[in-house]
Amino acid sequence: MSRKMKFGMMASSIAGQTMQLVGSEDAVSAFQRFYEDEHTGDVLSAFDAVCEGLDLHPGRFPDFFPALKSRLADKLSYRYKELWKVLEKRAKRSCYGGNKQCQELRVLVVGAG
């Protein structure tokens, strides 16, 4: 299934790769908004923009998080890289049961402290 990209172009080999590279720059600014925004609607909008800019589809944490991190980690300033450490540390907590709890349930929790 092909996904429609910005400017009405369809993602395909060279065109899709070029659009993804251009999109990743948009994803960086969207990630900065995601990090800095305080209102739930703005955070969710920024998260959607990050995913769209990187052509990523949210899914299970063990599948989605490493892909998100690998596509953004080298493009972000040190300030934003601290978030990766916090998320990785929290993901290792025993209360998450190795990311197997509710694995059939699709949920995004934003700002849960």
Side-chain angles (χ1 to χ4, degrees):
M1 180 186 324
S2 190
R3 185 175 166 164
K4 198 164 188 169
M5 303 282 293
K6 290 182 181 180
F7 310 115
M9 297 175 69
M10 299 300 281
S12 66
S13 60
I14 303 298
Q17 291 171 7
T18 304
M19 290 303 296
Q20 191 168 352
L21 290 174
V22 171
S24 69
E25 293 304 312
D26 293 336
V28 171
S29 61
F31 187 86
Q32 291 168 347
R33 282 191 304 118
F34 171 77
Y35 182 91
E36 294 169 2
D37 280 341
E38 296 179 10
H39 301 287
T40 304
D42 296 336
V43 171
L44 291 173
S45 173
F47 180 77
D48 286 343
V50 169
C51 292
E52 183 179 319
L54 297 173
D55 196 27
L56 276 177
H57 307 284
R60 294 176 352 114
F61 182 84
D63 300 328
F64 175 72
F65 182 73
L68 176 67
K69 182 180 175 187
S70 70
R71 292 186 189 185
L72 281 177
D74 62 336
K75 295 178 177 79
L76 296 171
S77 71
Y78 180 78
R79 175 182 180 191
Y80 303 105
K81 290 181 181 182
E82 287 298 312
L83 181 58
W84 302 125
K85 293 177 186 175
V86 170
L87 291 172
E88 288 171 338
K89 184 178 177 182
R90 287 185 177 244
K92 292 178 183 175
R93 287 184 172 178
S94 63
C95 65
Y96 295 115
N99 292 308
K100 299 214 183 302
Q101 303 206 4
C102 302
Q103 61 189 26
E104 298 299 321
L105 186 63
R106 292 180 175 220
V107 176
L108 170 65
V109 178
V110 179

